[in-house]
């Protein structure tokens, strides 16, 4: 093998290594059936499908810690400001015991047979710089219906640190104005009409970006959860904008 060929081989190998993802994700699942306290008596239902980061040890650990915290917080029913559980197993146990504590006080016609918790975390988008996880959590603890909400977790793949979607933009005001135009088009609101003219609940009748934003496949998603700008019956209000349309407003470091 001559020197020139060896050099080309090394460059090709290094180029291939550089393109490999530092972090990969696999799916994992947890349910109440894994808990010993559910072996001999009925339990509230707990269904959790989530992502586990693998690869660089420190980066993966940072990402997995935040994923686990989100799941624990989603199952929390206590009166304290923050859950005391440190693991998914412990959080699910506390959720089930909460129903058992409340059940004796329920009238027989309102006894639900158990609470219900569902958490799903999907791998929605990843490039060389960031990963976007879309998360849905639903709890039913009595009443006419439960409540479900979607959120996004964004991570810097160089560090494993969480990121705010707003921090990805170099021109956030310009993006907000563009998003308002897209929102009005989506909901057939004329350009000169107020944002609430068709029944939305935007505060002060002014469009604003939602707290829930993130990437999903080739789209950037803006999502208003139930009750944020419309009734529960309206469900989540989701606006998807192709990524190529928002690149003028984004920090190119993350593209």
């Amino acid at each position: 093998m001559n020197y020139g060929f060896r050099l080309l081989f090394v460059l090709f190998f290094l180029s291939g290594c550089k393109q490999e993802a530092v972090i990969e994700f696999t799916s994992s699942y947890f349910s109440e059936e894994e808990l010993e306290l559910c072996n001999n008596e009925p339990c509230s239902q707990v269904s959790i499908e989530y992502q586990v980061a693998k690869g660089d040890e420190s980066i993966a650990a940072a990402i997995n810690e935040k994923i686990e915290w989100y799941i624990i917080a989603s199952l929390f029913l206590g009166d304290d400001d923050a859950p005391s559980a440190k693991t998914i197993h412990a959080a699910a146990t506390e959720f089930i015991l909460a129903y058992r504590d409340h059940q004796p006080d329920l009238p027989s016609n309102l006894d639900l047979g158990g609470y219900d918790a569902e958490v799903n975390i999907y791998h929605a988008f990843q490039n060389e710089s960031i990963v976007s996880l879309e998360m849905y959590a639903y709890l039913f603890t009595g009443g006419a219906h439960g409540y479900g909400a979607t959120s996004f977790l964004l991570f810097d793949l160089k560090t494993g640190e969480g990121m705010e979607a707003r921090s990805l933009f170099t021109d956030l005001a310009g993006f907000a104005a563009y998003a308002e135009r897209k929102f009005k088009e989506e909901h057939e609101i004329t350009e000169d009409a107020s944002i609430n003219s068709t029944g939305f609940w935007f505060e002060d009748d002014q469009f604003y970006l939602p707290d829930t934003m993130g990437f999903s496949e080739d789209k950037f998603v803006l999502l208003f959860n139930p009750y944020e700008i419309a009734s529960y019956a309206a469900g989540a209000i989701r606006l998807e904008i192709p990524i190529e349309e928002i690149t003028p407003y984004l920090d190119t470091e993350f593209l």
Side-chain angles (χ1 to χ4, degrees), residues 4 121 166 200 232:
I121 303 178
R166 284 171 167 77
F200 288 114
Y232 179 85

Side-chain angles (χ1 to χ4, degrees), residues 97-155:
L97 291 177
Y99 172 76
R100 293 184 181 178
D101 288 342
H102 300 161
Q103 192 270 341
D105 298 325
L106 293 173
S108 58
N109 63 323
L110 295 179
D111 189 351
L112 310 170
Y115 292 158
D116 187 13
E118 178 184 348
V119 180
N120 293 302
I121 303 178
Y122 307 98
H123 181 271
F125 172 87
Q126 184 171 343
N127 62 16
E128 293 182 356
S129 301
I130 60 174
V131 63
S132 175
L133 303 179
E134 183 171 350
M135 307 174 297
Y136 177 76
Y138 171 86
L139 292 184
F140 179 71
T141 57
H145 52 72
Y147 181 78
T150 297
S151 56
F152 283 92
L153 274 178
L154 300 175
F155 295 99

Side-chain angles (χ1 to χ4, degrees), residues 229-248:
I229 60 167
S231 68
Y232 179 85
I237 309 297
R238 186 181 183 105
L239 176 66
E240 297 184 347
I241 304 176
I243 293 174
E244 63 266 22
E245 293 185 18
I246 68 169
T247 51

